Amino acid sequence: MAQEGDCYYIFARDHCGNLSDASNQGCIIILNATNQPGYNQLTWNSYRDWYDGVQSYNVYKNEDSTGWQLIGTTSSVQVNEFKDTKLGDSTIDFCYQVQAIENPGQYNQLSRSTVECVHQDATVFIPNSFTPYDQDGVNDKFGPVGLHIKDYSMRIYNRWGELVYETSESPADKTSASPAGDTEGKSWDGTSRGQFVQQGVYIYLITVTDYNGKQSYFKGTITMFE
């Protein structure tokens, strides 16, 4: 809710230095946005105090600085929340602003809220097998996939605890690091030092970082088939 420091009055001074009476009180709309799995939740305080009162609120969104778009209008002035479920899979920044609309009358004013930006937490899927030998373009590489992943690091070990692959670049990078530097992208193509490793079970250690700076850790096994 708006606090006393978020409200204001306007005074006017004429050429003779005379000060007018105070205007009606205006209180800034403070918008709050929180990320939830699959949607962003918006809440805000009611705007006050227009003479004719508030009719409704428009909700605007700006994804990755592509421009403000109207995404919804509240059904009544009593509704001070909005759930945005239409989230771009590749979007990093979800920014929002609310606009109060005055009831039709003498002034027909508009007032905008503060701007609030949020990021979605990463959604991660890690497969349990892959088939790199046939190189048919289907399931040829191994690595975590999902939404809103900023970067990740990954290490692959064989059954004797020997490191066969390692990478730590961001998804935007096109190069990768491994014991022999022989891989493409971040995912593992089943090779080490330029040769396919033996089919079987390998151990992975993966750390995923999302755009909120939150890290998730995964440990498991991946089976490599011919």
Side-chain angles (χ1 to χ4, degrees), residues 45-60:
N45 59 283
S46 299
Y47 181 78
R48 69 176 200 267
D49 293 300
W50 279 328
Y51 178 80
D52 290 310
V54 177
Q55 180 184 52
S56 59
Y57 296 94
N58 286 332
V59 181
Y60 293 87

Side-chain angles (χ1 to χ4, degrees), residues 29 44-48 54-59 70 72-80 98-101 111:
I29 306 171
W44 60 89
N45 59 283
S46 299
Y47 181 78
R48 69 176 200 267
V54 177
Q55 180 184 52
S56 59
Y57 296 94
N58 286 332
V59 181
L70 177 65
T73 301
T74 61
S75 57
S76 71
V77 68
Q78 283 76 33
V79 179
N80 288 51
V98 170
Q99 179 189 62
I101 304 172
S111 180

